[in-house]
Amino acid sequence: MIGEGITEYYYFNSLKDEFTQLNLRPMYPKHSTSLEDVEQEIDKAIDRGYNLIFCVIDMDNKKDGAEKQNYLNLKKRLEGTWTIKKTDQTYTIRFIENERCTELFFLFYFIYTSRHFQDQPAMLQELNKRCKYEKTEKFFKAHSLHQYFLNHGGSFMDALRNAAHSMKEKEETGRDHTYSQMAELFEAIGIKQNDS
């Protein structure tokens, strides 16, 4: 797992206690969240022999202009399954988008919404109605994020269902806001939503 920042790193680390069968290796670019740094982390993961590489991407700053085009170019160039000819090593790269940001998936632990949030602070305010979440490293170090959401009445299975529903609605309506591909990521690593 490659995240653009520390939020993803701490969240995926917090899943290790519950999903012990998984060998999650969250990584994030140090001191920067540029697409070039994400690409460098992808190269490092390939060099280490990983065969399934997910890049968890916040879409709030990739809505238009050069940043959007740079992201689309990177995704088009790297996403897919590839083979290194010298070694026959095969690996798959997937980009997992969250619009506005990964915290939308955290909100999905509590409720489903398709509301268009003007900015990240507006979405974080909605999350804070459910739990006292802070987007700070100090907070992340003090709390196991996954367990924190469960302890405050959230449900991981609801988050998976809500994320999948957001993608279904996005596809059906063509909306470009308030969606998360996180259910696809978890399904690919063997954690599926139950339909009960």
Side-chain angles (χ1 to χ4, degrees):
M1 280 336 129
I2 298 170
E4 283 187 283
I6 62 170
T7 304
E8 294 82 9
Y9 174 79
Y10 281 101
Y11 177 67
F12 286 109
N13 263 331
S14 77
L15 295 172
K16 289 180 179 181
D17 292 337
E18 185 165 342
F19 302 104
T20 55
Q21 76 276 23
L22 299 177
N23 184 11
L24 296 174
R25 301 271 178 161
M27 297 176 273
Y28 73 97
K30 306 286 186 195
H31 310 299
S32 177
T33 58
S34 75
L35 292 174
E36 292 82 13
D37 292 331
V38 170
E39 186 170 4
Q40 287 176 7
E41 290 298 323
I42 291 170
D43 290 340
K44 288 178 191 175
I46 294 166
D47 290 344
R48 291 179 184 132
Y50 291 107
N51 62 354
L52 188 55
I53 302 163
F54 292 98
C55 301
V56 181
I57 302 293
D58 292 343
M59 296 302 291
D60 59 344
N61 61 353
K62 296 167 188 65
K63 300 297 271 183
D64 52 34
E67 192 69 22
K68 178 181 180 179
Q69 196 56 54
N70 291 340
Y71 168 68
L72 292 175
N73 290 342
L74 179 72
K75 183 177 175 181
K76 182 178 179 182
R77 187 165 45 86
L78 296 180
E79 190 166 54
T81 301
W82 307 92
T83 302
I84 300 172
K85 291 181 183 175
K86 288 183 194 177
T87 63
D88 283 337
Q89 174 194 349
T90 301
Y91 60 91
T92 301
I93 299 172
R94 285 280 321 274
F95 286 82
I96 300 296
E97 298 174 0
N98 291 291
E99 201 295 321
R100 289 231 145 247
C101 53
T102 303
E103 280 82 3
L104 176 65
F105 184 70
F106 302 164
L107 180 59
F108 283 165
Y109 269 71
F110 302 95
I111 61 164
Y112 179 75
T113 183
S114 59
R115 175 181 156 199
H116 185 186
F117 295 99
Q118 286 302 109
D119 53 25
Q120 190 179 103
M123 205 221 52
L124 292 176
Q125 185 177 26
E126 190 66 30
L127 178 58
N128 277 316
K129 290 179 184 177
R130 276 80 189 163
C131 65
K132 299 296 179 196
Y133 173 84
E134 296 175 29
K135 191 178 175 103
T136 65
E137 190 163 11
K138 180 179 176 183
F139 181 84
F140 298 155
K141 286 181 177 179
H143 304 283
S144 170
L145 289 177
H146 171 68
Q147 194 61 47
Y148 183 80
F149 302 134
L150 297 180
N151 290 343
H152 285 80
S155 164
F156 180 70
M157 287 300 148
D158 284 350
L160 292 179
R161 278 190 289 277
N162 290 333
H165 184 67
S166 76
M167 292 308 298
K168 183 177 182 210
E169 277 190 356
K170 179 184 187 303
E171 186 177 302
E172 292 172 353
T173 66
R175 83 166 185 248
D176 67 347
H177 62 273
T178 319
Y179 64 86
S180 173
Q181 292 182 303
M182 294 287 273
E184 297 169 39
L185 181 155
F186 286 110
E187 185 169 345
I189 62 174
I191 301 172
K192 298 181 181 179
Q193 56 182 312
N194 59 29
D195 294 320
S196 59

